[in-house]
Amino acid sequence: VTDAARGPAAKMAAPARLCRCLLPLLLAAMGAGAAAGTPGTAGCGCSANRAAGDGREEAAQRFSAAAAAGSGVSLCLPGLFAVQMVLIPAGVFTMGTQEPQIQQDGEGPARRVHLGSFYMDQYEVSNRDFESFVNATGYVTEAEKFGDSFVFEGMLSEAVKADIHQAVAAAPWWLPVKGASWRHPEGPGSSISSRMDHPVLHVSWNDALAFCRWAGKRLPTEAEWEYGCRGGLESRLFPWGNKLQPKGQHYANIWQGEFPTNNTAEDGYRGTAPVSAFPPNGYGLYNMVGNAWEWTSDWWAVHHSPQELHNPQGPPSGTDRVKKGGSYMCHKSYCYRYRCAARSQNTPDSSASNLGFRYHSAFANFFF
Ligand SMILES: [Ca+2]
Ligand SMILES: [Ca+2]
């Protein structure tokens, strides 16, 4: 754990209620798939990576297959796992931007992308959602197996900090905290009991994949995520338009003040916010930017063809996975990544106190 890393408007779709309980059955039947510096500088320290490549993805897939084969089904109680997804209509949009704000992230070039319709969760996966998964399956996250996870220094107590003697050189505000996990986001002594409706944190890409497979869902591709983020608007910076704070209102949970020393929490939240906080975008999706970073299924690459694409899945291989949307830690001066075109990456086994996910499905209409 030493490597620093970079760290028109469509109508609101009617929320479709979906029973997650039934989905493992469907999964088995259908074989559902897998689912700081200044702006423009490399290594801004948005996030921290574990060293890559120790075969944990394979382990997660084995677990997921086992979960899909039955262990999740026995605890199915209709309504217990009711979740809300919205239908994102098929269409074509401009992915990326011709005016990249962070050049080395591969935000450009702008390219036309066609997508079929799909369903997306309105919210980031919450602690409550993840607890349901863990209670049903006994799943142990990678942070729990490793025994530590990265936590933003500003969220830690002095007692926890006193025990830590290493940090990420390029991003000293990221500290590897023993015992930090989704249940204990700021390490031993911290709890999620008052944050069950906040996004789950400290989940690796492999953990997210295991959850999605248990739920009969998958992670969105980067293209699907970005299309959802744009909410039916064309080539805007944010899910709601180009102005960060229309009429002085906050539309996302990011950082106000001076990073990393002073978070004024003018938007109401110093850390995460409930997954239903702030207004939804044109598709009815909440917190697409800000709050928690969200994993996507794509491998990371920074060079993209300008050619028109249909349902792109990203590069065929890689070492890192793409995450989108920025987090409560993002400030324009250091990590201007709370934009739909912005992107960053981590190794699939990395976890941190600002990284979560939401899920996607092509099959929600099956349950109406
Ligand atoms: Ca905030
Ligand atoms: Ca988010």
Side-chain angles (χ1 to χ4, degrees):
V1 287
T2 55
D3 181 33
R6 316 38 68 185
K11 295 190 294 288
M12 176 92 66
R17 295 194 76 81
L18 175 66
C19 176
R20 192 181 293 164
C21 302
L22 299 174
L23 288 170
L25 293 172
L26 177 68
L27 180 71
M30 300 182 71
T38 54
T41 61
C44 86
C46 273
S47 57
N49 267 341
R50 293 190 192 278
D54 62 357
R56 286 171 182 273
E57 182 178 349
E58 191 189 342
Q61 288 174 354
R62 277 200 306 276
F63 162 81
S64 303
S71 61
V73 178
S74 60
L75 293 177
C76 280
L77 299 172
L80 182 61
F81 300 123
V83 294
Q84 292 200 331
M85 303 185 82
V86 287
L87 175 63
I88 312 294
V92 56
F93 80 111
T94 304
M95 184 171 177
T97 175
Q98 284 302 97
E99 298 174 345
Q101 304 292 314
I102 304 176
Q103 198 82 36
Q104 76 277 4
D105 281 356
E107 296 178 3
R111 59 270 189 202
R112 297 293 279 172
V113 170
H114 299 253
L115 292 174
S117 65
F118 57 91
Y119 290 83
M120 186 174 261
D121 191 5
Q122 286 186 278
Y123 310 111
E124 296 151 330
V125 170
S126 69
N127 285 318
R128 183 172 289 112
D129 296 331
F130 202 78
E131 183 180 62
S132 297
F133 161 59
V134 169
N135 286 347
T137 62
Y139 184 80
V140 178
T141 61
E142 293 200 286
E144 292 167 297
K145 289 176 191 161
F146 280 116
D148 63 22
S149 188
F150 285 100
V151 183
F152 171 55
E153 180 187 18
M155 307 299 283
L156 291 172
S157 67
E158 291 304 320
V160 170
K161 275 195 280 189
D163 271 349
I164 300 170
H165 305 291
Q166 62 180 129
V168 177
W173 45 86
W174 279 117
L175 298 180
V177 175
K178 284 191 172 55
S181 71
W182 72 278
R183 288 186 195 277
H184 306 289
E186 293 83 37
S190 66
S191 158
I192 55 171
S193 60
S194 64
R195 293 178 273 179
M196 294 307 286
D197 59 346
H198 287 223
V200 65
L201 305 173
H202 297 292
V203 283
S204 68
W205 188 91
N206 296 320
D207 298 332
L209 189 73
F211 175 100
C212 287
R213 287 185 167 176
W214 168 75
K217 311 279 195 343
R218 66 172 172 82
L219 287 171
T221 64
E222 182 179 7
E224 289 165 342
W225 191 98
E226 188 169 327
Y227 183 57
C229 182
R230 294 182 179 282
L233 300 173
E234 178 70 13
S235 298
R236 301 295 202 276
L237 288 170
F238 310 116
W240 54 88
N242 277 335
K243 195 171 174 190
L244 180 61
Q245 289 181 248
K247 297 182 179 168
Q249 293 244 350
H250 290 283
Y251 276 69
N253 181 15
I254 54 174
W255 184 292
Q256 293 88 37
E258 197 168 324
F259 188 89
T261 53
N262 180 31
N263 185 350
T264 64
E266 192 186 289
D267 57 23
Y269 302 96
R270 196 167 150 263
T272 54
V275 297
S276 58
F278 301 97
N281 75 0
Y283 288 152
L285 302 171
Y286 290 75
N287 291 298
M288 289 299 283
V289 298
N291 214 25
W293 278 101
E294 299 173 28
W295 289 111
T296 75
S297 60
D298 287 26
W299 288 111
W300 170 262
V302 295
H303 299 292
H304 315 290
S305 164
Q307 286 180 334
E308 204 154 327
L309 294 169
H310 291 258
N311 297 307
Q313 307 291 309
S317 62
T319 57
D320 290 357
R321 297 285 183 174
V322 176
K323 61 181 185 178
K324 296 282 279 186
S327 79
Y328 66 87
M329 287 174 57
C330 281
H331 185 276
K332 189 170 183 176
S333 67
Y334 129 93
C335 186
Y336 185 29
R337 290 187 171 89
Y338 44 91
R339 295 168 292 112
C340 293
R343 52 207 302 274
S344 189
Q345 87 278 29
N346 283 100
T347 56
D349 58 359
S350 293
S351 60
S353 60
N354 66 346
L355 177 53
F357 68 107
R358 85 176 62 209
Y359 49 79
H360 160 289
S361 174
F363 306 125
N365 54 345
F366 189 83
F367 292 96
F368 288 161

mmCIF file of all heavy atoms in Angstrom, residues 123-124 199 225 253 286-294 324-328 354 356-358, ligand 2:
data_model
loop_
_atom_site.group_PDB
_atom_site.id
_atom_site.type_symbol
_atom_site.label_atom_id
_atom_site.label_comp_id
_atom_site.label_asym_id
_atom_site.label_seq_id
_atom_site.Cartn_x
_atom_site.Cartn_y
_atom_site.Cartn_z
ATOM 1 N N TYR A 123 -29.516 5.965 -6.815
ATOM 2 C CA TYR A 123 -28.636 6.367 -5.722
ATOM 3 C C TYR A 123 -27.338 5.570 -5.726
ATOM 4 O O TYR A 123 -27.283 4.451 -6.229
ATOM 5 C CB TYR A 123 -29.340 6.107 -4.376
ATOM 6 C CG TYR A 123 -30.735 6.655 -4.301
ATOM 7 C CD1 TYR A 123 -31.831 5.802 -4.264
ATOM 8 C CD2 TYR A 123 -30.957 8.031 -4.282
ATOM 9 C CE1 TYR A 123 -33.117 6.297 -4.201
ATOM 10 C CE2 TYR A 123 -32.239 8.540 -4.218
ATOM 11 C CZ TYR A 123 -33.324 7.667 -4.179
ATOM 12 O OH TYR A 123 -34.596 8.172 -4.123
ATOM 13 N N GLU A 124 -26.339 6.154 -5.101
ATOM 14 C CA GLU A 124 -25.155 5.370 -4.780
ATOM 15 C C GLU A 124 -25.589 4.223 -3.858
ATOM 16 O O GLU A 124 -26.540 4.365 -3.084
ATOM 17 C CB GLU A 124 -24.135 6.255 -4.054
ATOM 18 C CG GLU A 124 -23.602 7.418 -4.905
ATOM 19 C CD GLU A 124 -23.200 8.635 -4.074
ATOM 20 O OE1 GLU A 124 -23.804 8.853 -3.001
ATOM 21 O OE2 GLU A 124 -22.306 9.365 -4.531
ATOM 22 N N PRO A 199 -23.472 6.712 1.293
ATOM 23 C CA PRO A 199 -22.855 5.731 0.392
ATOM 24 C C PRO A 199 -21.886 4.820 1.134
ATOM 25 O O PRO A 199 -21.153 5.272 2.009
ATOM 26 C CB PRO A 199 -22.107 6.605 -0.637
ATOM 27 C CG PRO A 199 -21.923 7.933 0.029
ATOM 28 C CD PRO A 199 -23.092 8.098 0.941
ATOM 29 N N TRP A 225 -22.395 5.308 -17.508
ATOM 30 C CA TRP A 225 -22.338 6.197 -16.346
ATOM 31 C C TRP A 225 -22.373 7.662 -16.799
ATOM 32 O O TRP A 225 -23.126 8.468 -16.253
ATOM 33 C CB TRP A 225 -21.075 5.915 -15.514
ATOM 34 C CG TRP A 225 -21.112 6.602 -14.185
ATOM 35 C CD1 TRP A 225 -21.470 6.067 -12.984
ATOM 36 C CD2 TRP A 225 -20.815 7.984 -13.931
ATOM 37 N NE1 TRP A 225 -21.423 7.029 -12.006
ATOM 38 C CE2 TRP A 225 -21.023 8.206 -12.555
ATOM 39 C CE3 TRP A 225 -20.408 9.065 -14.731
ATOM 40 C CZ2 TRP A 225 -20.835 9.454 -11.959
ATOM 41 C CZ3 TRP A 225 -20.213 10.321 -14.139
ATOM 42 C CH2 TRP A 225 -20.416 10.506 -12.768
ATOM 43 N N ASN A 253 -22.322 17.404 -3.243
ATOM 44 C CA ASN A 253 -21.491 17.404 -2.045
ATOM 45 C C ASN A 253 -20.021 17.380 -2.442
ATOM 46 O O ASN A 253 -19.484 16.318 -2.767
ATOM 47 C CB ASN A 253 -21.839 16.193 -1.177
ATOM 48 C CG ASN A 253 -21.015 16.152 0.105
ATOM 49 O OD1 ASN A 253 -20.387 17.143 0.490
ATOM 50 N ND2 ASN A 253 -21.024 14.993 0.759
ATOM 51 N N TYR A 286 -29.295 10.725 -8.432
ATOM 52 C CA TYR A 286 -28.791 11.572 -7.354
ATOM 53 C C TYR A 286 -27.276 11.409 -7.191
ATOM 54 O O TYR A 286 -26.755 10.299 -7.295
ATOM 55 C CB TYR A 286 -29.447 11.174 -6.033
ATOM 56 C CG TYR A 286 -30.911 11.528 -5.936
ATOM 57 C CD1 TYR A 286 -31.873 10.791 -6.620
ATOM 58 C CD2 TYR A 286 -31.333 12.606 -5.167
ATOM 59 C CE1 TYR A 286 -33.222 11.101 -6.525
ATOM 60 C CE2 TYR A 286 -32.681 12.940 -5.059
ATOM 61 C CZ TYR A 286 -33.613 12.181 -5.744
ATOM 62 O OH TYR A 286 -34.947 12.496 -5.660
ATOM 63 N N ASN A 287 -26.644 12.526 -6.883
ATOM 64 C CA ASN A 287 -25.217 12.513 -6.506
ATOM 65 C C ASN A 287 -24.324 11.814 -7.529
ATOM 66 O O ASN A 287 -23.386 11.096 -7.162
ATOM 67 C CB ASN A 287 -25.044 11.870 -5.121
ATOM 68 C CG ASN A 287 -25.612 12.738 -4.020
ATOM 69 O OD1 ASN A 287 -25.150 13.844 -3.811
ATOM 70 N ND2 ASN A 287 -26.645 12.248 -3.336
ATOM 71 N N MET A 288 -24.628 12.029 -8.804
ATOM 72 C CA MET A 288 -23.730 11.458 -9.819
ATOM 73 C C MET A 288 -22.349 12.096 -9.694
ATOM 74 O O MET A 288 -21.334 11.424 -9.897
ATOM 75 C CB MET A 288 -24.293 11.663 -11.224
ATOM 76 C CG MET A 288 -25.519 10.812 -11.522
ATOM 77 S SD MET A 288 -25.203 9.024 -11.437
ATOM 78 C CE MET A 288 -24.349 8.717 -12.982
ATOM 79 N N VAL A 289 -22.323 13.391 -9.424
ATOM 80 C CA VAL A 289 -21.020 13.997 -9.103
ATOM 81 C C VAL A 289 -21.012 14.334 -7.616
ATOM 82 O O VAL A 289 -22.036 14.643 -7.008
ATOM 83 C CB VAL A 289 -20.706 15.243 -9.960
ATOM 84 C CG1 VAL A 289 -20.637 14.867 -11.432
ATOM 85 C CG2 VAL A 289 -21.690 16.361 -9.723
ATOM 86 N N GLY A 290 -19.826 14.238 -7.036
ATOM 87 C CA GLY A 290 -19.675 14.508 -5.614
ATOM 88 C C GLY A 290 -20.142 13.334 -4.753
ATOM 89 O O GLY A 290 -20.515 12.274 -5.248
ATOM 90 N N ASN A 291 -20.056 13.547 -3.457
ATOM 91 C CA ASN A 291 -20.371 12.555 -2.427
ATOM 92 C C ASN A 291 -19.364 11.407 -2.489
ATOM 93 O O ASN A 291 -18.312 11.525 -1.903
ATOM 94 C CB ASN A 291 -21.811 12.072 -2.540
ATOM 95 C CG ASN A 291 -22.403 11.768 -1.167
ATOM 96 O OD1 ASN A 291 -21.954 12.314 -0.166
ATOM 97 N ND2 ASN A 291 -23.406 10.911 -1.108
ATOM 98 N N ALA A 292 -19.629 10.308 -3.181
ATOM 99 C CA ALA A 292 -18.626 9.246 -3.309
ATOM 100 C C ALA A 292 -18.282 9.040 -4.784
ATOM 101 O O ALA A 292 -19.161 9.091 -5.651
ATOM 102 C CB ALA A 292 -19.156 7.944 -2.728
ATOM 103 N N TRP A 293 -17.010 8.826 -5.060
ATOM 104 C CA TRP A 293 -16.585 8.342 -6.374
ATOM 105 C C TRP A 293 -17.322 7.037 -6.684
ATOM 106 O O TRP A 293 -17.636 6.279 -5.759
ATOM 107 C CB TRP A 293 -15.085 8.026 -6.381
ATOM 108 C CG TRP A 293 -14.147 9.162 -6.580
ATOM 109 C CD1 TRP A 293 -13.443 9.808 -5.606
ATOM 110 C CD2 TRP A 293 -13.735 9.751 -7.827
ATOM 111 N NE1 TRP A 293 -12.631 10.753 -6.172
ATOM 112 C CE2 TRP A 293 -12.793 10.745 -7.521
ATOM 113 C CE3 TRP A 293 -14.094 9.530 -9.164
ATOM 114 C CZ2 TRP A 293 -12.180 11.527 -8.506
ATOM 115 C CZ3 TRP A 293 -13.493 10.306 -10.148
ATOM 116 C CH2 TRP A 293 -12.553 11.290 -9.820
ATOM 117 N N GLU A 294 -17.518 6.749 -7.954
ATOM 118 C CA GLU A 294 -18.260 5.540 -8.331
ATOM 119 C C GLU A 294 -17.469 4.714 -9.344
ATOM 120 O O GLU A 294 -17.069 5.206 -10.392
ATOM 121 C CB GLU A 294 -19.622 5.941 -8.901
ATOM 122 C CG GLU A 294 -20.448 6.703 -7.858
ATOM 123 C CD GLU A 294 -21.740 7.283 -8.398
ATOM 124 O OE1 GLU A 294 -22.299 6.730 -9.362
ATOM 125 O OE2 GLU A 294 -22.194 8.304 -7.841
ATOM 126 N N LYS A 324 -15.739 7.432 -11.594
ATOM 127 C CA LYS A 324 -16.315 8.669 -12.125
ATOM 128 C C LYS A 324 -16.978 9.493 -11.020
ATOM 129 O O LYS A 324 -17.460 8.965 -10.021
ATOM 130 C CB LYS A 324 -17.375 8.329 -13.180
ATOM 131 C CG LYS A 324 -16.838 7.622 -14.423
ATOM 132 C CD LYS A 324 -16.146 8.573 -15.407
ATOM 133 C CE LYS A 324 -17.149 9.309 -16.265
ATOM 134 N NZ LYS A 324 -16.469 10.131 -17.313
ATOM 135 N N GLY A 325 -17.028 10.798 -11.254
ATOM 136 C CA GLY A 325 -17.904 11.676 -10.476
ATOM 137 C C GLY A 325 -17.279 12.489 -9.359
ATOM 138 O O GLY A 325 -17.912 13.398 -8.854
ATOM 139 N N GLY A 326 -16.068 12.146 -8.937
ATOM 140 C CA GLY A 326 -15.483 12.911 -7.836
ATOM 141 C C GLY A 326 -16.177 12.601 -6.513
ATOM 142 O O GLY A 326 -17.062 11.750 -6.440
ATOM 143 N N SER A 327 -15.757 13.297 -5.475
ATOM 144 C CA SER A 327 -16.287 12.984 -4.144
ATOM 145 C C SER A 327 -16.399 14.245 -3.298
ATOM 146 O O SER A 327 -16.082 15.344 -3.743
ATOM 147 C CB SER A 327 -15.360 12.002 -3.433
ATOM 148 O OG SER A 327 -14.233 12.687 -2.902
ATOM 149 N N TYR A 328 -16.802 14.032 -2.050
ATOM 150 C CA TYR A 328 -16.917 15.139 -1.087
ATOM 151 C C TYR A 328 -15.576 15.814 -0.839
ATOM 152 O O TYR A 328 -15.523 16.891 -0.250
ATOM 153 C CB TYR A 328 -17.515 14.632 0.237
ATOM 154 C CG TYR A 328 -16.642 13.652 0.983
ATOM 155 C CD1 TYR A 328 -15.669 14.088 1.878
ATOM 156 C CD2 TYR A 328 -16.770 12.278 0.775
ATOM 157 C CE1 TYR A 328 -14.854 13.189 2.542
ATOM 158 C CE2 TYR A 328 -15.967 11.361 1.440
ATOM 159 C CZ TYR A 328 -15.008 11.830 2.321
ATOM 160 O OH TYR A 328 -14.195 10.937 2.967
ATOM 161 N N ASN A 354 -13.528 7.591 0.204
ATOM 162 C CA ASN A 354 -14.347 8.452 -0.658
ATOM 163 C C ASN A 354 -14.799 7.719 -1.921
ATOM 164 O O ASN A 354 -15.161 8.345 -2.899
ATOM 165 C CB ASN A 354 -13.578 9.727 -1.040
ATOM 166 C CG ASN A 354 -12.379 9.428 -1.923
ATOM 167 O OD1 ASN A 354 -11.956 8.279 -2.051
ATOM 168 N ND2 ASN A 354 -11.837 10.465 -2.521
ATOM 169 N N GLY A 356 -17.124 4.635 -3.695
ATOM 170 C CA GLY A 356 -18.231 3.683 -3.629
ATOM 171 C C GLY A 356 -18.661 3.275 -5.027
ATOM 172 O O GLY A 356 -17.835 3.165 -5.928
ATOM 173 N N PHE A 357 -19.940 3.048 -5.247
ATOM 174 C CA PHE A 357 -20.427 2.640 -6.566
ATOM 175 C C PHE A 357 -21.943 2.727 -6.635
ATOM 176 O O PHE A 357 -22.613 2.926 -5.620
ATOM 177 C CB PHE A 357 -19.967 1.215 -6.902
ATOM 178 C CG PHE A 357 -20.574 0.110 -6.059
ATOM 179 C CD1 PHE A 357 -21.529 -0.737 -6.590
ATOM 180 C CD2 PHE A 357 -20.183 -0.078 -4.742
ATOM 181 C CE1 PHE A 357 -22.081 -1.767 -5.829
ATOM 182 C CE2 PHE A 357 -20.728 -1.101 -3.969
ATOM 183 C CZ PHE A 357 -21.681 -1.948 -4.512
ATOM 184 N N ARG A 358 -22.459 2.615 -7.827
ATOM 185 C CA ARG A 358 -23.890 2.388 -8.027
ATOM 186 C C ARG A 358 -24.018 1.349 -9.115
ATOM 187 O O ARG A 358 -23.046 1.017 -9.790
ATOM 188 C CB ARG A 358 -24.650 3.673 -8.337
ATOM 189 C CG ARG A 358 -24.682 4.119 -9.793
ATOM 190 C CD ARG A 358 -25.540 5.357 -9.970
ATOM 191 N NE ARG A 358 -24.995 6.468 -9.213
ATOM 192 C CZ ARG A 358 -25.732 7.463 -8.702
ATOM 193 N NH1 ARG A 358 -27.036 7.492 -8.878
ATOM 194 N NH2 ARG A 358 -25.156 8.438 -8.031
HETATM 195 CA CA CA B 2 -21.253 10.077 -6.581
#
